[in-house]
Amino acid sequence: MLFVGAMTGTSVDGLDLALLDLPTDLKPQAARTAPFPPSLQRRLLALNSPERDEIFRMGEAHVELGIFIASTCLEFISELGLEPKEIRAIGSHGQTIRHHPNVDFPFSVQIGSGHVIAEKTGIDVVADFRGRDIAAGGQGAPLVPNYHRAVFGGEKNLRVIVNIGGIANVSILSPEGTATKGFDTGPGNALLDAWVQECRDEAYDIGGTWAMSGEVHEPLLEQLLNDPYYEAVPPKSTGKEHFNLLYLHNYMAEFPNIAQADVQATLLELTTQTITSAIEQYANACVDIVVCGGGRLNGYLMGRLTELNKKRVVNTSESLGIDGDAIEAAAFAYLAWQFMEGLPGNQPDVTGATGSRVLGCLYPA
C-alpha cells in the first residue's frame, strides 16, 4: 500500500513529502520538498507569537495551508506517474503553532485542514497525530522515534538518531532496535535562522559560513546553557514558544555590544553542545550518530558536532541510503499506515503517555 507523508516543521521553510510502500519497504520510495509561497510563509510565521485577531488569522492559515498541502501532494503523485486512487492515505502532520504539554490543560495545535486536503485530493487523510498521546498523559512529542526505531534499529551497538530541524531531537536506539529514549534537546536551527533573518534578511546561514566568521561569546553561551529546560528529565519536548527571538533578546540585554556574527557563532555552539550533552547523559555508550533534518546541511554545525563527539562516528542519514530531508515526512506516512492498521503509533517510554495509543484522526476521501 502506498502512503504519502506530509510534514511542515518548526523551521517553517516548506513542505516535505515522502512516498512509502508499506509494509513492504520502510525507506522512502521518493521525496520532494516544496518551499512555501512567501505570503503563506509570512502568515505561518506571524502565528508563532500572539497577536491581534489570532483566531481569525489561524482559521485562514488552516485552510490556506490545507490547500497548499493538497495541491503539492497531487503534483508529487502525478510526477511519480501515479493516480490519487493508488494512494491509500496521506499522513499530514501540519504546522505546529502552539505546543503546551505541561500546562494545566495540555494541548498542541497543528494547522493544515485535513478536511480540505481530503476534499481537494480525493484521498483519505490521517492528521492530528499528537492529541491522543497528550490526552493519555504524554508530551505528544517527539513522535519520529517510532519510525527511527523501525528504519534505523537493529544494530549491534547503541545508536543515536539526531534530527536537527527548528528544534533538535534525539532517538536513542538500543541494540535490540527499540527506542530507549527520545526527546527534544533544545534549539536546532530555530535561533540560528531567526537571528540571521533579523540581522541579514536571509532565510538561513548557508553552510554556517556567517557563524564561522564569528567567535563564541562565552558569557552569553553560559547564560543560554543555564536555561532550566536542559536540566529537565525526559520525557520532555519544546518548541518556538520557548526558543525564539524574544527569548534571545532577553539574554542579550546583559551583553549589548556583541558583534552579530559572534551571536550567530554562539547560537551554533549552543545547538551542538546541547545535543552532545544530551547524548553524553543518556547514551554515552553509543558508537554512531546519524544526523537528519536541515541542520545536516550546515557544514560548520556538522563539523562542531563531530569535534564534540570524537569517540563516535558522526554521519548523515544519506550514508545509510535515506534522504535526510524525507525522514520526518516518511515518519508521518508510517504513522498513517499504523493508524489504518489499528496499530499504536506512540512509544510511552518516549512521550510519557500512560500507554500505547493509536494516533491520528481520519478525514475520509
Side-chain angles (χ1 to χ4, degrees), residues 48-266:
N48 278 339
S49 56
E51 292 182 17
R52 189 171 62 87
D53 292 334
E54 184 179 50
I55 294 175
F56 178 82
R57 293 184 297 108
M58 179 191 73
E60 285 200 319
H62 182 53
V63 174
E64 184 180 1
L65 179 57
I67 293 170
F68 178 73
I69 293 171
S71 63
T72 308
C73 282
L74 288 175
E75 290 171 6
F76 178 58
I77 292 164
S78 177
E79 288 168 359
L80 296 174
L82 298 170
E83 298 289 336
K85 65 183 180 182
E86 296 178 78
I87 306 301
R88 180 63 189 89
I90 296 169
S92 179
H93 172 267
Q95 181 67 49
T96 299
I97 60 169
R98 294 290 184 279
H99 183 69
H100 292 290
N102 300 315
V103 295
D104 290 341
F105 299 97
F107 69 95
S108 185
V109 178
Q110 287 74 44
I111 61 172
S113 172
H115 294 293
V116 170
I117 301 169
E119 183 67 27
K120 299 290 185 183
T121 62
I123 301 170
D124 286 349
V125 174
V126 185
D128 189 16
F129 290 98
R130 301 191 185 276
R132 184 60 187 273
D133 184 84
I134 291 175
Q139 291 280 307
L143 298 181
V144 289
N146 178 40
Y147 178 66
H148 288 164
R149 172 196 53 77
V151 75
F152 292 117
E155 294 299 302
K156 293 181 180 179
N157 299 302
L158 193 68
R159 166 178 280 177
V160 174
I161 313 301
V162 180
N163 178 67
I164 308 177
I167 300 298
N169 56 68
V170 294
S171 299
I172 302 168
L173 306 180
S174 74
E176 294 77 29
T178 58
T180 55
K181 282 191 182 295
F183 55 92
D184 292 341
T185 61
N189 301 316
L191 296 178
L192 288 164
D193 291 350
W195 184 245
V196 75
Q197 287 161 16
E198 178 173 86
C199 297
R200 296 164 68 98
D201 196 27
E202 297 173 359
Y204 57 95
D205 181 12
I206 299 174
T209 54
W210 191 40
M212 195 184 308
S213 73
E215 295 183 2
V216 174
H217 189 280
E218 294 294 344
L220 175 59
L221 178 62
E222 182 179 352
Q223 290 297 314
L224 291 167
L225 287 170
N226 283 334
D227 189 286
Y229 180 79
Y230 303 120
E231 296 299 320
V233 176
K236 62 178 182 177
S237 60
T238 188
K240 292 169 80 171
E241 301 84 8
H242 185 63
F243 294 108
N244 53 41
L245 267 180
L246 178 60
Y247 166 92
L248 176 59
H249 282 297
N250 285 340
Y251 278 101
M252 287 180 59
E254 190 176 340
F255 312 103
N257 298 315
I258 307 176
Q260 292 179 342
D262 291 352
V263 175
Q264 190 75 354
T266 304

Side-chain angles (χ1 to χ4, degrees), residues 196-342:
V196 75
Q197 287 161 16
E198 178 173 86
C199 297
R200 296 164 68 98
D201 196 27
E202 297 173 359
Y204 57 95
D205 181 12
I206 299 174
T209 54
W210 191 40
M212 195 184 308
S213 73
E215 295 183 2
V216 174
H217 189 280
E218 294 294 344
L220 175 59
L221 178 62
E222 182 179 352
Q223 290 297 314
L224 291 167
L225 287 170
N226 283 334
D227 189 286
Y229 180 79
Y230 303 120
E231 296 299 320
V233 176
K236 62 178 182 177
S237 60
T238 188
K240 292 169 80 171
E241 301 84 8
H242 185 63
F243 294 108
N244 53 41
L245 267 180
L246 178 60
Y247 166 92
L248 176 59
H249 282 297
N250 285 340
Y251 278 101
M252 287 180 59
E254 190 176 340
F255 312 103
N257 298 315
I258 307 176
Q260 292 179 342
D262 291 352
V263 175
Q264 190 75 354
T266 304
L267 295 176
L268 187 142
E269 191 68 12
L270 174 70
T271 291
T272 56
Q273 283 199 21
T274 51
I275 290 171
T276 300
S277 176
I279 293 171
E280 290 178 345
Q281 186 171 0
Y282 294 102
N284 195 41
C286 87
V287 296
D288 76 315
I289 297 171
V290 180
V291 184
C292 53
R296 81 194 192 288
L297 302 177
N298 185 322
Y300 185 45
L301 189 155
M302 288 294 293
R304 285 296 299 140
L305 196 61
T306 301
E307 288 176 20
L308 292 170
N309 290 274
K310 290 181 178 178
K311 66 180 182 180
R312 307 177 179 99
V313 176
V314 180
N315 280 317
T316 66
S317 59
E318 279 78 6
S319 68
L320 301 177
I322 302 180
D323 181 350
D325 288 329
I327 290 173
E328 281 200 293
F332 286 92
Y334 183 68
L335 284 167
W337 170 75
Q338 289 185 304
F339 175 91
M340 291 297 191
E341 295 294 312

Side-chain angles (χ1 to χ4, degrees), residues 1 21-26 337:
M1 293 184 289
D21 185 2
L22 295 167
T24 306
D25 191 351
L26 292 170
W337 170 75

